[in-house]
Amino acid sequence: MTNPHLPAAPATDPTFTAPTLGRRFGALIIDWVLCLLVSNFFADPVRDGWAPVLVLVLVYGIFLGLFAQTPGMYITKIRCVNWHDGGRIGVLRGLIRGLLLALVVPALIMDEHRRGLHDRVAGSVIVDAPRS
């Protein structure tokens, strides 16, 4: 039974249109800058390139798993949700998505719904955030 007050799951919504790549890239840039700043607390991100990547993976795991948005996604008004039911993807799948995103190449291999390989493996999709 579906709830008429909730949006349709992206996988079953024939009108689903993914947000622009510009908004997605903008969110990633904002998140990356925040990760560079945070990683300064425990490493030199210029010398230790792993530090901001580690922070990015953790941010994706925690924020996507619990809130369906990273800080960058909040600013650009997009969310990352479960492809099949529109709910949150959970911390483990958020970590997997973040790890694959850190490899960059999966993000470049997109389908017709702008789901990168990292989204397909994690069972996620980027959608417009509901207006408050």
Side-chain angles (χ1 to χ4, degrees):
M1 181 177 198
T2 60
N3 184 338
H5 302 290
L6 294 175
T12 59
D13 182 0
T15 64
F16 172 73
T17 304
T20 65
L21 292 176
R23 286 170 59 200
R24 291 179 69 153
F25 188 67
L28 181 61
I29 294 299
I30 292 166
D31 290 334
W32 183 248
V33 169
L34 291 173
C35 290
L36 286 169
L37 294 172
V38 169
S39 65
N40 266 316
F41 288 108
F42 62 89
D44 177 2
V46 174
R47 190 187 70 227
D48 303 319
W50 58 267
V53 174
L54 175 66
V55 173
L56 182 76
V57 171
L58 293 174
V59 162
Y60 270 66
I62 294 167
F63 280 86
L64 293 183
L66 301 177
F67 310 111
Q69 288 180 303
T70 63
M73 289 177 178
Y74 178 81
I75 291 168
T76 59
K77 296 180 175 47
I78 58 177
R79 306 178 77 210
C80 180
V81 298
N82 186 307
W83 171 246
H84 300 288
D85 67 12
R88 286 177 278 189
I89 63 172
V91 174
L92 180 60
R93 290 188 349 194
L95 286 169
I96 291 168
R97 187 181 185 280
L99 186 61
L100 290 172
L101 182 64
L103 297 175
V104 179
V105 173
L108 300 175
I109 304 169
M110 292 193 172
D111 65 13
E112 68 276 8
H113 299 289
R114 294 192 186 122
R115 292 177 69 214
L117 188 58
H118 61 298
D119 282 316
R120 286 179 276 169
V121 169
S124 63
V125 65
I126 300 296
V127 298
D128 290 313
R131 304 285 178 208
S132 29

